[in-house]
């Protein structure tokens, strides 16, 4: 006997399986998507996407990094990082130079314009982060930071 073909109504974010009844991995993905959407909307004011902002942040923290290094740390494919890098380079926000000893490796760093744009974007992104942190008290924030770090360490363990 066939079941009724009536489609189920998808609950709103925060309800049913999109809320406390949901699988934790899905809830993390849903939260990540919400953060990404909020950051993209905010960073559009400065003409960047959140992955471009991430690459600028990483180059600020790790000047001279290669594309392969950025891809690993950003958890993006090398192809995606290459597209991001080419766009940032066209906009003169980053500069590439040859590695001192490895001819095929290109090292990247922020230009002055890139550092200035990054400062602007950090101010914009601070507003999104403040909205997230407003949902937590200090003790819970510390626990959530520890838990998220532990999840990454555990699941990325070889």
């Amino acid at each position: 006997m066939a079941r009724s073909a009536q489609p189920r109504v998808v609950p709103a974010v925060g309800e049913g399986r999109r809320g406390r009844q949901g699988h934790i991995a899905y809830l993390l993905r849903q939260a990540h998507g919400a953060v990404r959407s909020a950051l993209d909307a905010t960073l559009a004011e400065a003409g960047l996407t959140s992955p471009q902002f991430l690459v600028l942040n990483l180059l600020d923290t790790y000047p001279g990094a290669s594309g392969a290094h950025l891809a690993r740390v950003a958890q993006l494919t090398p192809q995606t990082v290459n597209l991001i890098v080419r766009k940032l380079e066209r906009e003169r926000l980053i500069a590439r130079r040859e590695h001192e000893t490895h001819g095929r490796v290109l090292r990247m760093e922020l230009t002055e314009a890139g550092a200035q744009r990054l400062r602007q974007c950090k101010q914009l992104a601070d507003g999104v982060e403040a909205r997230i942190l407003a949902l937590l008290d200090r003790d819970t924030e510390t626990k959530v930071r520890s838990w998220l770090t532990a999840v990454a360490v555990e699941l990325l363990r070889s």
Side-chain angles (χ1 to χ4, degrees):
M1 190 174 264
R3 290 181 63 184
S4 171
Q6 296 242 340
R8 286 189 169 178
V9 176
V10 176
V13 172
E15 296 179 2
R17 293 204 173 210
R18 296 184 74 197
R20 292 176 188 236
Q21 298 172 23
H23 294 282
I24 195 72
Y26 174 78
L27 296 176
L28 284 167
R29 182 173 175 76
Q30 179 177 254
H32 174 266
V35 170
R36 169 79 188 261
S37 292
L39 278 174
D40 280 341
T42 299
L43 295 172
E45 183 179 319
L48 289 183
T49 64
S50 52
Q52 292 166 341
F53 175 56
L54 173 60
V55 168
L56 289 181
N57 256 310
L58 291 173
L59 286 174
D60 186 46
T61 305
Y62 309 110
S66 68
H69 180 86
L70 290 175
R72 280 191 301 278
V73 176
Q75 297 179 331
L76 297 170
T77 66
Q79 295 85 350
T80 298
V81 168
N82 188 42
L83 290 171
I84 293 168
V85 163
R86 286 194 311 203
K87 179 154 180 31
L88 294 174
E89 191 174 34
R90 274 195 311 272
E91 292 185 24
R92 293 186 164 81
L93 299 177
I94 65 169
R96 292 196 265 190
R97 60 183 165 77
E98 288 185 10
H99 189 278
E100 301 79 32
T101 58
H102 301 289
R104 294 183 64 203
V105 174
L106 294 175
R107 300 180 74 137
M108 291 170 263
E109 56 191 30
L110 295 178
T111 62
E112 183 53 43
Q116 185 177 352
R117 181 84 63 92
L118 178 60
R119 283 191 297 275
Q120 177 188 11
C121 288
K122 282 182 177 182
Q123 288 179 338
L124 293 168
D126 284 349
V128 174
E129 185 145 330
R131 288 174 60 195
I132 295 167
L133 293 176
L135 300 169
L136 305 170
D137 60 53
R138 181 68 78 193
D139 186 49
T140 305
E141 176 189 342
T142 300
K143 289 176 182 174
V144 168
R145 286 177 183 274
S146 295
W147 179 76
L148 289 170
T149 303
V151 167
V153 168
E154 174 63 29
L155 297 181
L156 293 174
R157 188 177 294 160
S158 298

